[in-house]
């Protein structure tokens, strides 16, 4: 039989999907049969990755797309599985990561009228008014498959939305009867007619507007968060900044946007309660691909600074409150726009003395910053500091390593002390829902099997990641990765938030804020029990270097995942 489910699988393959991250349920007999038939007949379909927990599965699709650039598919069970995707939906939407989510739906017949009708009690309980509405606010596109005769068109249309900037997740659903429908005349699709929209360029006149504003400035600065999600944009940004002597400041970075060893790199900013000096000194700020370029109550440009904004999503349409006072704003693809600006500089570059003066200024500040970071890495003799721990990991990282950063309160420590320089070498989820790192590590390893994947996580985000499911998946599908747990004994971020609002309140004097994880779980043992991972708890600074070396050896040479539970100073 050629059914709607068969057509669905064919459409995924046509759209470039190579992996299905699946959590099957009673709504999927048509898909399960179609998969079994394809395997029996030797027909190519995407590889199925069984995901015991939906959020871990969607996070794996997230990590795969970040590393490869190619959207994958996630299959979940009716509205229950849709809800169990949990914060992964938020992360994919806010991180602008493309993927297709497909959920079954309760059958709509109950007296044997059609194949796939109701035959289990749960199908009445799982019949809800608006299943698509559960995730509609986070999807670029959502629809219901109502007939197998156009399932291919719906899949390709959904993938076209997912892959067009600003990219993001899409959602389809289909009832059992629909997915069982036999199709006498299968639809033939030309995938070339359903491609993502071409990258948007700057209007020609605005190229001159931007370059003129930068030419008049004494201290121009680029601020970015995610220009590096497209690795091709990074060398264009480096070339552009070198030619103009412009410093680069990252704000809440989600990728490797600019080489950290470059003399024009001015560091990264997060929630630090202080004014960033590079931003304060800037008289012209070019914001490229950033959702939060600064926090205005704490840290902002000078009132008379010229602000120019280039972004795939300059209006931030999903954010009800957003503005940065930009004099000029452009919806454009960063790699394309920077290429245009560089081409214009070929014809009219600024004077060398201007560029040299700017470069010397940023170079001196960049060198001082690196000296300060090196001093922090010395650590302490009686406790492990996060800076010392991160430097130990960095010494084992090479050009074939991908780092996933979900350190939360240690986000900046990891970015600062890993000092990544290669495009595509480090990522965060791009969102604010914790638990992405474990599933994402599996997806990253599937997308780049020859790379070493290192997931660096807080103890809270480790618990959120459902490590029992994650490490079972890693063992089953041969995706070993190293997971570094920054164990500070609980949720540190809520403490910082409370003290930020009530610095002298009762919380500042309380011993217990209900955010500790005492008694402390044995995190490494969870991974060992679920997937046979190597696990080790490290409590002393002198033990750490050997433990990190052993863990990397397990992952790289023995094909085994490893978890290092690093106990940080509790001060």
């Amino acid at each position: 039989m050629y059914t709607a489910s068969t057509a669905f699988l064919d459409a995924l393959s046509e759209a470039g999907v190579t992996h299905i991250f699946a959590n099957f349920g009673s709504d999927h007999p048509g898909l399960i049969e179609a998969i079994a038939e394809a395997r029996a007949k030797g027909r190519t379909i995407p590889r199925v990755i069984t995901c015991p927990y939906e959020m871990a599965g969607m996070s794996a699709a997230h990590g795969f797309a970040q590393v490869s650039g190619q959207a994958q598919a996630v299959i979940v069970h009716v509205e229950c599985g849709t809800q169990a995707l949990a914060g992964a939906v938020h992360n994919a939407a806010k991180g602008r990561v493309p993927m297709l989510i497909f959920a079954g739906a309760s059958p709509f017949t109950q007296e044997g009228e059609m194949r796939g009708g109701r035959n289990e009690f749960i199908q009445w309980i799982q019949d809800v008014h608006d299943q698509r509405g559960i995730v509609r606010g986070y999807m670029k596109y959502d629809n219901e498959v109502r007939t197998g005769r156009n399932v291919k068109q719906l899949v390709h249309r959904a993938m076209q939305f997912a892959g067009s900037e600003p990219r993001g997740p899409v959602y389809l659903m289909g009832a059992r009867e629909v997915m069982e429908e036999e199709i006498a005349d299968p639809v033939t699709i030309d995938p070339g007619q359903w491609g993502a929209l071409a990258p948007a360029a700057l209007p020609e006149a605005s190229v001159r507007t931007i370059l003129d504003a930068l030419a008049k400035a004494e201290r121009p600065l680029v601020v970015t968060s995610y220009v590096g999600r497209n690795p091709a944009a990074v060398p264009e940004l480096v070339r552009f900044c070198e030619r103009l002597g412009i410093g680069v400041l990252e704000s809440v970075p989600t990728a490797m946007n600019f080489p950290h060893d470059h003399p024009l790199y001015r560091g990264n900013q997060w929630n630090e309660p202080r004014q960033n000096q590079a931003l304060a000194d800037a008289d012209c700020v070019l914001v490229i691909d950033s959702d939060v370029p600064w926090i205005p109550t704490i840290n902002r440009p000078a009132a008379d600074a010229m602000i120019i904004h280039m972004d795939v999503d300059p209006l931030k349409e999903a954010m009800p409150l957003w503005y940065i006072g930009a004099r000029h704003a452009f919806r454009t693809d960063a790699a394309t726009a920077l290429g245009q600006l560089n081409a214009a500089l070929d014809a009219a570059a600024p004077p060398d003395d201007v560029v040299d003066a700017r470069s010397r200024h940023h170079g001196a500040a960049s060198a001082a910053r690196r000296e300060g970071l090196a001093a922090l890495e010395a650590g302490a003799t009686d406790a492990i500091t996060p800076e010392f721990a991160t430097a130990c990991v960095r010494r084992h990282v090479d050009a074939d390593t991908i780092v996933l950063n979900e350190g939360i309160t240690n986000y900046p420590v990891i970015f600062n002390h890993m000092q990544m320089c290669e495009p595509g070498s480090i990522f965060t989820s791009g969102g604010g829902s914790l638990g992405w790192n474990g599933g994402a590590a599996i997806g990253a390893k599937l997308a780049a099997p020859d790379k070493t994947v290192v997931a660096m996580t807080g103890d809270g985000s480790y618990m959120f990641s459902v490590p029992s499911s994650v490490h079972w998946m890693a063992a089953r599908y041969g995706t070993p990765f190293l997971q570094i747990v920054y164990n500070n004994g609980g949720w540190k971020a809520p403490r910082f938030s409370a003290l930020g609002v009530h610095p002298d309140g009762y919380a500042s004097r309380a011993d217990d804020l209900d955010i500790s994880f005492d008694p402390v779980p044995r995190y490494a043992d969870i991974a060992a029990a679920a997937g046979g991972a190597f696990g080790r708890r490290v409590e002393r600074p002198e033990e750490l270097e050997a433990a990190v070396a052993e863990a990397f050896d397990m992952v790289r040479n023995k094909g085994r995942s490893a978890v290092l539970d690093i106990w940080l100073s509790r001060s």
Side-chain angles (χ1 to χ4, degrees), residues 256-320:
M256 206 302 294
N257 300 303
F258 201 83
H260 281 218
D261 61 355
H262 198 288
L264 292 175
Y265 181 64
R266 295 298 304 271
N268 52 87
Q269 61 183 37
W270 298 75
N271 287 334
E272 298 90 337
R274 60 180 179 271
Q275 174 68 51
N276 182 280
Q277 194 60 49
L279 191 61
D281 291 342
D283 51 358
C284 182
V285 182
L286 177 58
V287 178
I288 308 176
D289 282 352
S290 181
D291 291 336
V292 188
W294 47 79
I295 298 174
T297 56
I298 299 169
N299 171 43
R300 64 187 306 160
D304 58 350
M306 167 72 78
I307 298 170
I308 303 170
H309 187 201
M310 303 192 315
D311 207 304
V312 292
D313 180 21
L315 292 176
K316 311 299 176 188
E317 295 174 26
M319 298 181 190

Side-chain angles (χ1 to χ4, degrees), residues 384-409:
I384 300 174
T385 66
E387 294 83 2
F388 173 75
T390 307
C392 286
V393 175
R394 184 190 69 234
R395 287 190 281 272
H396 295 268
V397 164
D398 58 22
D400 290 322
T401 301
I402 296 171
V403 174
L404 307 179
N405 180 355
E406 198 172 24
I408 313 307
T409 53

Side-chain angles (χ1 to χ4, degrees), residues 61-422:
H62 188 139
F64 192 109
Q66 285 179 298
V67 170
S68 70
Q70 178 60 48
Q72 300 301 299
V74 179
I75 294 180
V76 297
H77 174 50
V78 296
E79 104 293 2
C80 295
T82 300
Q83 292 181 87
L85 291 168
V89 172
H90 160 96
N91 287 338
K94 301 305 180 182
R96 298 174 183 82
V97 177
M99 64 187 72
L100 184 146
I101 305 164
F102 176 82
S106 278
F108 51 77
T109 59
Q110 68 177 37
E111 297 185 16
E113 301 96 327
M114 301 175 71
R115 180 189 289 123
R118 297 185 183 188
N119 62 353
E120 302 176 37
F121 78 88
I122 199 68
Q123 290 153 357
W124 278 265
I125 297 171
Q126 292 172 339
D127 190 4
V128 298
H129 288 294
D130 187 11
Q131 181 174 313
R132 288 155 56 191
I134 297 169
V135 295
R136 184 172 295 122
Y138 298 87
M139 297 295 120
K140 287 200 65 185
Y141 171 82
D142 69 273
N143 205 345
E144 180 177 357
V145 179
R146 295 180 175 86
T147 173
R149 292 173 176 82
N150 72 348
V151 67
K152 281 194 172 186
Q153 291 93 325
L154 294 189
V155 168
H156 283 278
R157 176 167 166 76
M159 292 292 281
Q160 188 174 37
F161 272 98
S164 296
E165 294 288 4
R167 301 190 299 171
V170 294
Y171 184 87
L172 294 176
M173 58 176 278
R176 289 210 317 183
E177 296 95 331
V178 172
M179 300 309 291
E180 294 280 356
E181 179 188 357
E182 293 185 45
I183 304 173
D185 300 308
V187 173
T188 299
I189 286 286
D190 175 7
Q193 298 178 2
W194 299 86
L197 299 184
L202 285 170
E204 200 57 44
S206 30
V207 172
R208 195 69 261 157
T209 298
I210 295 169
L211 292 179
D212 286 347
L214 293 170
K216 294 173 184 175
E218 182 180 359
R219 292 281 182 264
L221 184 73
V222 165
V223 176
T224 186
S225 301
Y226 53 86
V227 70
R229 70 195 180 104
N230 175 7
V234 175
E236 291 286 358
L237 178 60
V238 171
R239 182 169 174 244
F240 176 71
C241 291
E242 288 178 343
R243 300 176 79 181
L244 293 177
I246 300 179
V248 175
L249 175 66
E250 295 179 293
S251 180
V252 195
T254 63
M256 206 302 294
N257 300 303
F258 201 83
H260 281 218
D261 61 355
H262 198 288
L264 292 175
Y265 181 64
R266 295 298 304 271
N268 52 87
Q269 61 183 37
W270 298 75
N271 287 334
E272 298 90 337
R274 60 180 179 271
Q275 174 68 51
N276 182 280
Q277 194 60 49
L279 191 61
D281 291 342
D283 51 358
C284 182
V285 182
L286 177 58
V287 178
I288 308 176
D289 282 352
S290 181
D291 291 336
V292 188
W294 47 79
I295 298 174
T297 56
I298 299 169
N299 171 43
R300 64 187 306 160
D304 58 350
M306 167 72 78
I307 298 170
I308 303 170
H309 187 201
M310 303 192 315
D311 207 304
V312 292
D313 180 21
L315 292 176
K316 311 299 176 188
E317 295 174 26
M319 298 181 190
L321 176 64
W322 195 94
Y323 53 88
I324 60 170
R327 182 68 59 184
H328 305 283
F330 308 99
R331 186 185 297 274
T332 185
D333 169 73
T336 303
L338 288 165
Q340 291 176 272
L341 292 168
N342 280 326
L345 287 171
D346 289 339
D352 289 343
D353 59 335
V354 172
V355 175
D356 290 345
R358 291 173 175 176
S359 299
R360 284 194 301 272
H361 168 78
H362 291 300
S366 183
R369 172 185 171 274
R370 288 194 296 275
E371 289 177 9
L373 293 177
L376 290 173
E377 292 176 3
T381 57
D382 58 346
I384 300 174
T385 66
E387 294 83 2
F388 173 75
T390 307
C392 286
V393 175
R394 184 190 69 234
R395 287 190 281 272
H396 295 268
V397 164
D398 58 22
D400 290 322
T401 301
I402 296 171
V403 174
L404 307 179
N405 180 355
E406 198 172 24
I408 313 307
T409 53
N410 284 310
Y411 269 138
V413 170
I414 293 170
F415 266 98
N416 282 330
H417 294 274
M418 289 305 293
Q419 301 175 7
M420 306 303 282
C421 297
E422 295 296 321

